[in-house]
Amino acid sequence: MSQQVMDLVEKTCLKSDVPQFDIGDTVDVHTKILEGAKERIQVFTGVVIARSGSGTREMFTVRRMVAGEGVERKFPLHSPRVEKVEVKRSSVVRRAKLYFLRDRVGKAVRLKERRRS
């Protein structure tokens, strides 16, 4: 009974405009940033290396290189702070988590692009 109530409450908090994206996709994550009284949108571009959780607790991790240093950031998928997620390109991967990319440098980080049909 209580699980059904929890599911009902969670459904009201889920976003309906979340695009379909998978591990290995390069995405632009538009997030709302509060600076004093002003609010602006900041874009974080990178490769999705992990997804975890389900429902309102679903998270995804995006990794990018900044000045030769790897930067990873976790985003809650259904957060009101995440304005939108744009898929730039899809890649062929054979793993659920791409943590091995942390150890790679240069051209070894590149992933093979998936053909769109």
Side-chain angles (χ1 to χ4, degrees):
M1 175 67 184
S2 63
Q3 186 61 38
Q4 292 171 343
V5 174
M6 287 297 294
D7 290 340
L8 189 67
V9 171
E10 277 191 359
K11 281 184 182 177
T12 61
C13 298
L14 293 178
K15 284 185 179 178
S16 59
D17 61 340
V18 176
Q20 173 64 35
F21 65 94
D22 293 310
I23 309 300
D25 291 359
T26 302
V27 294
D28 283 353
V29 183
H30 298 255
T31 53
K32 291 180 185 173
I33 305 291
L34 263 165
E35 293 178 341
K38 293 183 180 178
E39 190 175 84
R40 67 182 180 86
I41 293 185
Q42 186 177 49
V43 181
F44 191 89
T45 304
V47 177
V48 178
I49 63 167
R51 279 183 86 157
S52 63
S54 63
T56 56
R57 294 172 297 280
E58 188 169 358
M59 306 277 281
F60 63 102
T61 306
V62 180
R63 179 180 175 84
R64 75 175 187 181
M65 297 301 288
V66 178
E69 199 71 29
V71 177
E72 289 182 12
R73 191 161 168 200
K74 286 185 84 169
F75 296 98
L77 187 60
H78 296 284
S79 169
R81 290 257 174 245
V82 176
E83 187 69 25
K84 65 179 176 177
V85 179
E86 284 184 80
V87 179
K88 291 296 179 187
R89 64 176 279 211
S90 296
S91 300
V92 178
V93 292
R94 298 169 69 176
R95 302 272 180 279
K97 306 281 193 269
L98 303 182
Y99 297 143
F100 65 90
L101 292 178
R102 294 172 176 166
D103 302 326
R104 303 228 171 147
V105 179
K107 285 186 178 180
V109 177
R110 290 186 302 180
L111 299 170
K112 193 182 292 184
E113 190 162 0
R114 179 181 292 146
R115 302 266 182 220
R116 295 177 192 222
S117 54

